mmCIF file of all heavy atoms in Angstrom:
data_model
loop_
_atom_site.group_PDB
_atom_site.id
_atom_site.type_symbol
_atom_site.label_atom_id
_atom_site.label_comp_id
_atom_site.label_asym_id
_atom_site.label_seq_id
_atom_site.Cartn_x
_atom_site.Cartn_y
_atom_site.Cartn_z
ATOM 1 N N ALA A 11 4.310 6.997 -5.485
ATOM 2 C CA ALA A 11 4.452 7.867 -6.645
ATOM 3 C C ALA A 11 3.433 9.009 -6.644
ATOM 4 O O ALA A 11 3.626 10.018 -7.320
ATOM 5 C CB ALA A 11 4.310 7.058 -7.928
ATOM 6 N N ASP A 15 6.412 15.034 -3.306
ATOM 7 C CA ASP A 15 7.821 14.648 -3.341
ATOM 8 C C ASP A 15 8.702 15.717 -2.704
ATOM 9 O O ASP A 15 8.224 16.730 -2.219
ATOM 10 C CB ASP A 15 8.265 14.351 -4.774
ATOM 11 C CG ASP A 15 8.215 15.583 -5.651
ATOM 12 O OD1 ASP A 15 8.116 16.719 -5.105
ATOM 13 O OD2 ASP A 15 8.260 15.420 -6.878
ATOM 14 N N ARG A 28 2.744 31.968 -6.481
ATOM 15 C CA ARG A 28 2.939 32.541 -7.805
ATOM 16 C C ARG A 28 2.245 33.898 -7.880
ATOM 17 O O ARG A 28 1.037 34.000 -7.694
ATOM 18 C CB ARG A 28 2.354 31.619 -8.882
ATOM 19 C CG ARG A 28 3.121 30.337 -9.096
ATOM 20 C CD ARG A 28 4.407 30.588 -9.835
ATOM 21 N NE ARG A 28 5.107 29.339 -10.174
ATOM 22 C CZ ARG A 28 6.358 29.316 -10.618
ATOM 23 N NH1 ARG A 28 7.044 30.448 -10.756
ATOM 24 N NH2 ARG A 28 6.926 28.180 -10.912
ATOM 25 N N THR A 37 -7.510 40.240 -7.813
ATOM 26 C CA THR A 37 -8.197 41.196 -8.683
ATOM 27 C C THR A 37 -9.658 40.813 -8.888
ATOM 28 O O THR A 37 -10.535 41.682 -8.937
ATOM 29 C CB THR A 37 -7.480 41.304 -10.032
ATOM 30 O OG1 THR A 37 -6.167 41.812 -9.807
ATOM 31 C CG2 THR A 37 -8.215 42.233 -10.971
ATOM 32 N N GLN A 65 -11.203 65.904 -14.676
ATOM 33 C CA GLN A 65 -10.960 66.911 -13.649
ATOM 34 C C GLN A 65 -9.470 67.228 -13.510
ATOM 35 O O GLN A 65 -9.095 68.378 -13.334
ATOM 36 C CB GLN A 65 -11.510 66.454 -12.298
ATOM 37 C CG GLN A 65 -11.502 67.602 -11.301
ATOM 38 C CD GLN A 65 -11.759 67.156 -9.882
ATOM 39 O OE1 GLN A 65 -11.314 66.093 -9.473
ATOM 40 N NE2 GLN A 65 -12.469 67.978 -9.146
ATOM 41 N N SER A 79 -6.964 56.687 -20.017
ATOM 42 C CA SER A 79 -7.599 55.808 -19.030
ATOM 43 C C SER A 79 -7.429 54.320 -19.337
ATOM 44 O O SER A 79 -7.711 53.471 -18.492
ATOM 45 C CB SER A 79 -9.088 56.117 -18.953
ATOM 46 O OG SER A 79 -9.689 55.877 -20.223
ATOM 47 N N ARG A 120 -18.611 67.174 -11.254
ATOM 48 C CA ARG A 120 -17.640 67.399 -10.179
ATOM 49 C C ARG A 120 -18.193 66.962 -8.829
ATOM 50 O O ARG A 120 -17.487 66.355 -8.024
ATOM 51 C CB ARG A 120 -17.292 68.887 -10.095
ATOM 52 C CG ARG A 120 -16.388 69.365 -11.183
ATOM 53 C CD ARG A 120 -16.339 70.874 -11.228
ATOM 54 N NE ARG A 120 -15.699 71.287 -12.461
ATOM 55 C CZ ARG A 120 -14.390 71.243 -12.657
ATOM 56 N NH1 ARG A 120 -13.597 70.852 -11.684
ATOM 57 N NH2 ARG A 120 -13.889 71.602 -13.810
ATOM 58 N N ASP A 127 -15.321 59.636 -4.975
ATOM 59 C CA ASP A 127 -14.016 59.564 -4.313
ATOM 60 C C ASP A 127 -14.156 59.075 -2.880
ATOM 61 O O ASP A 127 -13.353 58.275 -2.403
ATOM 62 C CB ASP A 127 -13.342 60.946 -4.346
ATOM 63 C CG ASP A 127 -12.196 60.969 -5.350
ATOM 64 O OD1 ASP A 127 -11.428 59.985 -5.392
ATOM 65 O OD2 ASP A 127 -12.072 61.951 -6.100
ATOM 66 N N LEU A 137 -10.540 47.012 0.974
ATOM 67 C CA LEU A 137 -9.654 46.193 0.145
ATOM 68 C C LEU A 137 -8.297 45.988 0.801
ATOM 69 O O LEU A 137 -7.730 44.900 0.783
ATOM 70 C CB LEU A 137 -9.480 46.868 -1.228
ATOM 71 C CG LEU A 137 -8.519 46.205 -2.216
ATOM 72 C CD1 LEU A 137 -8.993 44.801 -2.578
ATOM 73 C CD2 LEU A 137 -8.366 47.049 -3.480
ATOM 74 N N ARG A 155 5.147 50.562 -10.207
ATOM 75 C CA ARG A 155 6.382 50.288 -10.937
ATOM 76 C C ARG A 155 6.207 49.138 -11.920
ATOM 77 O O ARG A 155 6.695 49.186 -13.052
ATOM 78 C CB ARG A 155 7.506 49.979 -9.949
ATOM 79 C CG ARG A 155 8.054 51.246 -9.293
ATOM 80 C CD ARG A 155 8.962 50.931 -8.131
ATOM 81 N NE ARG A 155 10.070 50.064 -8.492
ATOM 82 C CZ ARG A 155 10.770 49.342 -7.600
ATOM 83 N NH1 ARG A 155 10.457 49.391 -6.324
ATOM 84 N NH2 ARG A 155 11.775 48.607 -8.004
ATOM 85 N N HIS A 160 5.364 47.482 -17.640
ATOM 86 C CA HIS A 160 4.692 46.672 -18.655
ATOM 87 C C HIS A 160 3.884 47.513 -19.636
ATOM 88 O O HIS A 160 3.446 46.995 -20.658
ATOM 89 C CB HIS A 160 3.825 45.607 -17.993
ATOM 90 C CG HIS A 160 4.625 44.506 -17.359
ATOM 91 N ND1 HIS A 160 5.220 43.514 -18.095
ATOM 92 C CD2 HIS A 160 4.973 44.272 -16.074
ATOM 93 C CE1 HIS A 160 5.877 42.697 -17.274
ATOM 94 N NE2 HIS A 160 5.735 43.141 -16.047
ATOM 95 N N ALA B 33 -13.804 76.659 -15.001
ATOM 96 C CA ALA B 33 -14.521 75.543 -14.387
ATOM 97 C C ALA B 33 -14.079 74.179 -14.934
ATOM 98 O O ALA B 33 -14.295 73.153 -14.312
ATOM 99 C CB ALA B 33 -16.027 75.713 -14.591
ATOM 100 N N ASP B 37 -8.622 71.397 -10.565
ATOM 101 C CA ASP B 37 -8.781 72.270 -9.399
ATOM 102 C C ASP B 37 -7.779 71.903 -8.312
ATOM 103 O O ASP B 37 -6.947 71.025 -8.475
ATOM 104 C CB ASP B 37 -10.221 72.192 -8.874
ATOM 105 C CG ASP B 37 -10.558 70.800 -8.368
ATOM 106 O OD1 ASP B 37 -9.613 70.010 -8.153
ATOM 107 O OD2 ASP B 37 -11.734 70.511 -8.202
ATOM 108 N N ARG B 50 -5.017 54.445 -7.463
ATOM 109 C CA ARG B 50 -6.016 53.567 -6.873
ATOM 110 C C ARG B 50 -5.559 52.124 -7.016
ATOM 111 O O ARG B 50 -5.360 51.626 -8.122
ATOM 112 C CB ARG B 50 -7.360 53.748 -7.576
ATOM 113 C CG ARG B 50 -8.058 55.061 -7.298
ATOM 114 C CD ARG B 50 -8.617 55.085 -5.908
ATOM 115 N NE ARG B 50 -9.394 56.304 -5.647
ATOM 116 C CZ ARG B 50 -9.831 56.641 -4.440
ATOM 117 N NH1 ARG B 50 -9.543 55.873 -3.399
ATOM 118 N NH2 ARG B 50 -10.518 57.731 -4.268
ATOM 119 N N ARG B 53 -7.446 49.846 -9.413
ATOM 120 C CA ARG B 53 -7.193 50.054 -10.825
ATOM 121 C C ARG B 53 -5.827 49.500 -11.235
ATOM 122 O O ARG B 53 -5.675 48.879 -12.285
ATOM 123 C CB ARG B 53 -7.255 51.552 -11.121
ATOM 124 C CG ARG B 53 -7.485 51.794 -12.553
ATOM 125 C CD ARG B 53 -8.050 53.138 -12.884
ATOM 126 N NE ARG B 53 -8.191 53.176 -14.324
ATOM 127 C CZ ARG B 53 -9.209 52.651 -14.973
ATOM 128 N NH1 ARG B 53 -10.182 52.074 -14.307
ATOM 129 N NH2 ARG B 53 -9.259 52.686 -16.281
ATOM 130 N N THR B 59 -3.090 42.980 -13.766
ATOM 131 C CA THR B 59 -3.532 41.597 -13.937
ATOM 132 C C THR B 59 -3.870 41.294 -15.389
ATOM 133 O O THR B 59 -3.588 40.200 -15.882
ATOM 134 C CB THR B 59 -4.742 41.308 -13.030
ATOM 135 O OG1 THR B 59 -4.340 41.470 -11.670
ATOM 136 C CG2 THR B 59 -5.270 39.907 -13.241
ATOM 137 N N GLN B 87 0.520 17.274 -7.068
ATOM 138 C CA GLN B 87 1.856 16.876 -6.648
ATOM 139 C C GLN B 87 2.130 17.231 -5.187
ATOM 140 O O GLN B 87 2.740 16.465 -4.455
ATOM 141 C CB GLN B 87 2.920 17.540 -7.534
ATOM 142 C CG GLN B 87 4.294 16.908 -7.281
ATOM 143 C CD GLN B 87 5.411 17.697 -7.888
ATOM 144 O OE1 GLN B 87 5.370 18.917 -7.927
ATOM 145 N NE2 GLN B 87 6.437 17.003 -8.355
ATOM 146 N N ARG B 142 4.099 14.536 -13.979
ATOM 147 C CA ARG B 142 5.175 15.106 -13.165
ATOM 148 C C ARG B 142 6.245 15.734 -14.034
ATOM 149 O O ARG B 142 6.766 16.814 -13.724
ATOM 150 C CB ARG B 142 5.847 14.014 -12.330
ATOM 151 C CG ARG B 142 5.039 13.575 -11.159
ATOM 152 C CD ARG B 142 5.578 12.281 -10.577
ATOM 153 N NE ARG B 142 4.604 11.741 -9.658
ATOM 154 C CZ ARG B 142 4.425 12.216 -8.431
ATOM 155 N NH1 ARG B 142 5.195 13.193 -8.000
ATOM 156 N NH2 ARG B 142 3.489 11.716 -7.648
ATOM 157 N N ASP B 149 6.983 24.457 -14.558
ATOM 158 C CA ASP B 149 7.573 25.246 -13.480
ATOM 159 C C ASP B 149 8.706 26.115 -13.999
ATOM 160 O O ASP B 149 8.848 27.278 -13.605
ATOM 161 C CB ASP B 149 8.076 24.325 -12.365
ATOM 162 C CG ASP B 149 7.171 24.379 -11.144
ATOM 163 O OD1 ASP B 149 6.761 25.490 -10.783
ATOM 164 O OD2 ASP B 149 6.881 23.318 -10.575
ATOM 165 N N GLU B 167 12.159 42.853 -2.975
ATOM 166 C CA GLU B 167 10.868 43.477 -3.297
ATOM 167 C C GLU B 167 9.874 42.455 -3.836
ATOM 168 O O GLU B 167 8.672 42.525 -3.561
ATOM 169 C CB GLU B 167 11.062 44.602 -4.307
ATOM 170 C CG GLU B 167 11.713 45.836 -3.705
ATOM 171 C CD GLU B 167 12.119 46.846 -4.767
ATOM 172 O OE1 GLU B 167 12.467 46.436 -5.892
ATOM 173 O OE2 GLU B 167 12.107 48.055 -4.459
ATOM 174 N N HIS B 182 -9.333 38.305 2.175
ATOM 175 C CA HIS B 182 -10.580 38.377 1.413
ATOM 176 C C HIS B 182 -11.166 37.002 1.113
ATOM 177 O O HIS B 182 -12.308 36.904 0.685
ATOM 178 C CB HIS B 182 -10.373 39.174 0.121
ATOM 179 C CG HIS B 182 -10.214 40.643 0.381
ATOM 180 N ND1 HIS B 182 -11.261 41.468 0.686
ATOM 181 C CD2 HIS B 182 -9.102 41.438 0.421
ATOM 182 C CE1 HIS B 182 -10.822 42.707 0.886
ATOM 183 N NE2 HIS B 182 -9.509 42.706 0.734
#
Side-chain angles (χ1 to χ4, degrees):
Chain A
D15 65 15
R28 289 286 186 192
T37 297
Q65 191 192 37
S79 61
R120 285 167 192 283
D127 253 317
L137 177 62
R155 283 169 56 200
H160 288 284
Chain B
D37 64 16
R50 289 287 185 190
R53 200 159 180 82
T59 298
Q87 191 192 35
R142 285 166 193 283
D149 254 317
E167 287 170 328
H182 288 284

